[in-house]
Structures are given as structure tokens and as C-alpha cells.
Amino acid sequence: MSHPATGTSAGARLLDRLGLPAPLFLGFVGVLLFMIGDGVESNYLSPFLVDQEGFGEQAAALTISLYGVFVAIGSWLAGTLSAVLGPRKVMALGAVNWVAFEALFLIVGVGLDVHWVAVLAYTVRGIGYPFFAYAFLVWINTATPPHQRGTSVGWFWFVFGAGLPTLGSLIASATIPVIGEVGTFWLATALVMVGAAVAIFGVRDRRHAGPEPDAAGWAELGKGLTIIWLRPRVTAGAVVRLINTTPNFALFVVAPFFFTETVGFSQSQYLQIVTIVYTANIFANLAFGVIGDRFGWKRTVTWFGCVMCAVGLLLLFYVPQIIGPNFAVTVLCWAVFGIGLAGFVPLTALVPSMVPTRDRGSALAVYTLAAGLSSFVGPVLVGVLGGAASMSVLVWVFVALYLVGALICQFLRSSEDPGQATEEALATEPAVQR
């Protein structure tokens, strides 16, 4: 395990106090830029495919669902391949994949109007961002000292969420009126390339950039699957992680139609709402890391994650329909849901802590698999349940999922969970004599 950064500069000491490992700082910057580029399309791709490319709403949802399949595959492989090849190489593979298939999507699929190429290229590009981002998450976990790891992971989710969809949507709202939707896609590609270069070449400390010395070669890939049935609590935690963002990815498909056509916002207003809400989310990611360490990881996920998201979904669906396109009120309602999404952040610490140290890499692979799989399941549910026309059905299904997640959380136990430690201490105290 590495030691805290040895740099003596004031900047390095400040970063360490903030919980950012100084040797990896440029990696965080690179992930931020990369995810901004990836997030540019998140809230206008679906209408673009329908209005500009002639896709039906169901076909657009299917395309995004197929993309989600590859995101899920990439999310699982990112952790296990990082042990075999090293996180830096996996990040490079992810960046090359993203840029190459995005170019194919834009030049042939969109430019020449070849729909099957557009679907194929966009789908395979799904491996790109999980390879890049989640391999860096593995790098953080191996290179960061224990006293700093929880906060460092919180910073990872901060920059991840800042890009996808927050700042990405903000850039899209500003550039679409100026350079158009296709021009904005190319701008996103440039941001991804810059972010990849900053992270891959900017991090000079390579001590943890290569393969793990005790990795079981390519057998490590199998280990990343067998843990699913060998460690049921890890699987339960992965299910909760799947529930975490499944409704969020579904909203990316149907919310643009709901808020512009049903509620009455313009596209620009809608993108601004998304930007404000997910700005609140990224700061909440940091806050819930601290709250989880004090209130307890499981309890934070249960109440601030599952229950708060269920309430937030009901607010963002019903209140705008009652009061109309009121910008401020809609932001407040959606912010309840957006902040609730951050309530799941302690799961990143809880799931690996439920297994021995030697199995934590595999547990993290299952966790990131669930994170990626949610980008597939959300759009699939949209397609199966009828799209934006069945918005009320979607909302109630997702509310039910969050409540099921709250029940599953009660089976997630770890001796390292601050909340469980408190409960066990209270349980062992002698009963008060009456």
C-alpha cells in the first residue's frame, strides 16, 4: 500500500488534507473532463434520434438499452482487467474505444444516415466510459492510503457526477443553439480526448498503474463472477446499487419528453434544470461520504438513498403537473431525488467491506457491474412499460424498487460499518436495572 504523497509543496499538502491523493490529482481532472464529454449527450440524445434521425421513441430507447449492455460489460471488465493489465492500460483502451466509435457514429451513422451503423457504433462505444472511469476507481483504491480512501472515493463520484450529466448538460444547453446538435457531439469528443490525455499522461506516479502482483492472471475474470453466488451479501449490495441509478437512466430517456411536452418547459430550460439538480447531487456525494461515516453506511443508504429517492420521484412527477412549468419549484422537487441518489455513496465502502481483503477487488467488480447494468435496465423498463406515454406507471414501478432496496439494505452487514459498530456496542451494554 502506498503512503501519503511525499510532495512538500503547499498544494500537495492541501490536496492531502482535502482527501485528494496528490500523485493522482491530474487523474481526477482527466476523469472530470472525460465525463463532461460523455455527459454532453445524456439529455438530448433520445430526442435527437427521434427528431433528426427518424428513429421511433421505442427504437431510440432500444438503442440506448443496447448501449447500456456494453456499459454493463465494460463496468465488470474494468475492475478485473485492471488487476491483469493495470488500470492505466484499461483507461487507455476505454478512451480509444470511445473516440473511435463516436467518430464512426457521427461520420457514417449520422452523417451518411446509415441507421444500423449508428446503432452498432453507439452500442459498442458503451465500453468506453466504464473502462476509463472505473479503472481509475481501481487505481484510487490501490494507490490511496487507508485513512484517505473513503474521502478519495467520494471525490471520484464528485468528478464523475459533475461530468455525467451535470456540466455535460450545461455545455449542451449553451452550444446546441450556437453550433447545433451534431457540432455539440464533436465538441464532446474533443473533451473526451483532452480528459484522456490529462489522466493517462499527467499522472507521473506509476507505482500502482500496472497489474496487481498477486493477480491470478486471466482467471481473475472468473473470480469476478463466482463471488456473486459465493458472497450473497455482495450480490444483495449489487442489487441495491442497480436500483440506485436504474430510474435515473430511465429518466434520461423519458424526462425530456415529459418536461417539454407535458409540463411545458423549453429544451434549454429543461437542460438548465438538469444541470442545477445534478450540481446539487455532486456536492451531496461529498456530504454523504461524511454523513455515512457518522450515521452509518447502511442507515445512510436506507434512509437518505432509498427512501429519499422514492419521495423525490413522486414530487418531480406530480408537483409540476399540478403547478405547471414553474422553474424554481421543479428544481426543488427534482433536487430531492437528485440528492437522494447521492445517499447511496456509502455503498462503495460497504460492499467491499463485507468480504475479506483478498476478495475486495472482485466485490468492487460486481459493484461496478451493477452500476453499469443500471444504464441498460432503466431504458429497457422504459421500452417495456410504454415510454413517456406511461410515465405514471414508470414512476410507481421505480418508487416500489426503491422501497424494495430499503428492505434489502437491512441484510447488508459489515463490522467496519460505523453504524453497525454503534449498534453492536449498544447491544453489548448491560441492561438497565429497573
Side-chain angles (χ1 to χ4, degrees):
M1 183 59 61
S2 65
H3 298 285
T6 57
T8 57
S9 71
R13 292 195 298 272
L14 175 60
L15 290 174
D16 282 329
R17 283 197 295 270
L18 291 173
L20 275 165
L24 296 183
F25 175 68
L26 287 178
F28 285 92
V29 174
V31 170
L32 173 62
L33 293 171
F34 189 103
M35 296 313 299
I36 290 173
D38 188 81
V40 161
E41 70 186 36
S42 59
N43 277 282
Y44 83 89
L45 177 68
S46 181
F48 173 80
L49 292 176
V50 172
D51 298 336
Q52 303 298 323
E53 293 302 298
F55 283 62
E57 186 182 325
Q58 301 292 332
L62 176 62
T63 299
I64 297 172
S65 299
L66 291 173
Y67 166 83
V69 171
F70 278 78
V71 170
I73 294 170
S75 298
W76 172 62
L77 289 175
T80 50
L81 281 179
S82 291
V84 179
L85 302 175
R88 186 169 178 268
K89 285 185 179 178
V90 177
M91 291 173 72
L93 288 173
V96 170
N97 168 279
W98 202 105
V99 173
F101 283 98
E102 180 74 354
L104 184 63
F105 170 75
L106 293 174
I107 295 170
V108 180
V110 173
L112 300 180
D113 200 27
V114 184
H115 280 195
W116 71 268
V117 173
V119 173
L120 177 65
Y122 184 75
T123 297
V124 178
R125 202 207 77 190
I127 291 176
Y129 95 70
F131 265 35
F132 187 85
Y134 295 145
F136 186 66
L137 181 60
V138 173
W139 198 346
I140 292 169
N141 273 277
T142 55
T144 307
H147 75 274
Q148 205 176 44
R149 192 172 300 138
T151 309
S152 297
V153 167
W155 276 110
F156 169 82
W157 291 114
F158 178 88
V159 298
F160 185 97
L164 176 66
T166 314
L167 294 177
S169 293
L170 180 62
I171 287 174
S173 70
T175 59
I176 288 175
V178 179
I179 61 175
E181 292 170 321
V182 174
T184 299
F185 278 124
W186 282 113
L187 175 62
T189 305
L191 285 169
V192 164
M193 293 173 67
V194 172
V198 169
I200 294 170
F201 300 110
V203 177
R204 300 298 182 88
D205 188 341
R206 306 285 171 79
R207 285 175 293 174
H208 299 276
E212 286 295 298
D214 57 347
W218 294 103
E220 199 76 21
L221 298 178
K223 187 178 177 183
L225 284 177
T226 57
I227 195 171
I228 292 175
W229 56 85
L230 294 176
R231 301 285 181 179
R233 285 181 179 170
V234 169
T235 304
V239 170
V240 176
R241 179 61 184 86
L242 176 65
I243 292 171
N244 174 195
T245 47
T246 288
N248 196 46
F249 282 105
L251 282 178
F252 288 166
V253 178
V254 296
F257 300 102
F258 173 72
F259 282 99
T260 57
E261 297 176 6
T262 301
V263 179
F265 288 107
S266 68
Q267 183 191 56
S268 179
Q269 287 176 318
Y270 167 72
L271 291 174
Q272 289 167 13
I273 290 170
V274 170
T275 300
I276 294 170
V277 166
Y278 288 94
T279 297
N281 167 265
I282 62 175
F283 286 101
N285 285 334
L286 292 177
F288 280 119
V290 176
I291 291 170
D293 284 341
R294 298 184 179 175
F295 185 59
W297 297 337
K298 180 180 75 175
R299 285 190 288 184
T300 299
V301 174
T302 300
W303 294 104
F304 292 104
C306 296
V307 174
M308 190 170 179
C309 278
V311 172
L313 271 176
L314 294 174
L315 290 175
L316 74 86
F317 176 64
Y318 285 106
V319 173
Q321 292 187 85
I322 295 171
I323 67 171
N326 184 301
F327 190 92
V329 173
T330 300
V331 166
L332 289 174
C333 292
W334 201 339
V336 175
F337 175 73
I339 292 171
L341 291 173
F344 288 84
V345 161
L347 262 182
T348 311
L350 179 58
V351 170
S353 74
M354 294 189 295
V355 297
T357 302
R358 66 179 181 275
D359 292 330
R360 291 188 178 184
S362 298
L364 192 59
V366 175
Y367 177 87
T368 55
L369 170 62
L373 195 59
S374 66
S375 68
F376 163 72
V377 175
V380 162
L381 287 176
V382 170
V384 169
L385 297 175
S390 303
M391 186 74 172
S392 61
V393 175
L394 283 167
V395 166
W396 279 103
V397 167
F398 294 145
V399 167
L401 281 177
Y402 280 125
L403 296 180
V404 169
L407 293 176
I408 295 174
C409 281
Q410 307 319 304
F411 299 96
L412 306 182
R413 299 179 62 82
S414 167
S415 60
E416 297 179 16
D417 183 347
Q420 184 170 318
T422 301
E423 291 173 5
E424 291 175 351
L426 291 174
T428 56
E429 287 182 0
V432 177
Q433 300 295 322
R434 297 185 182 274

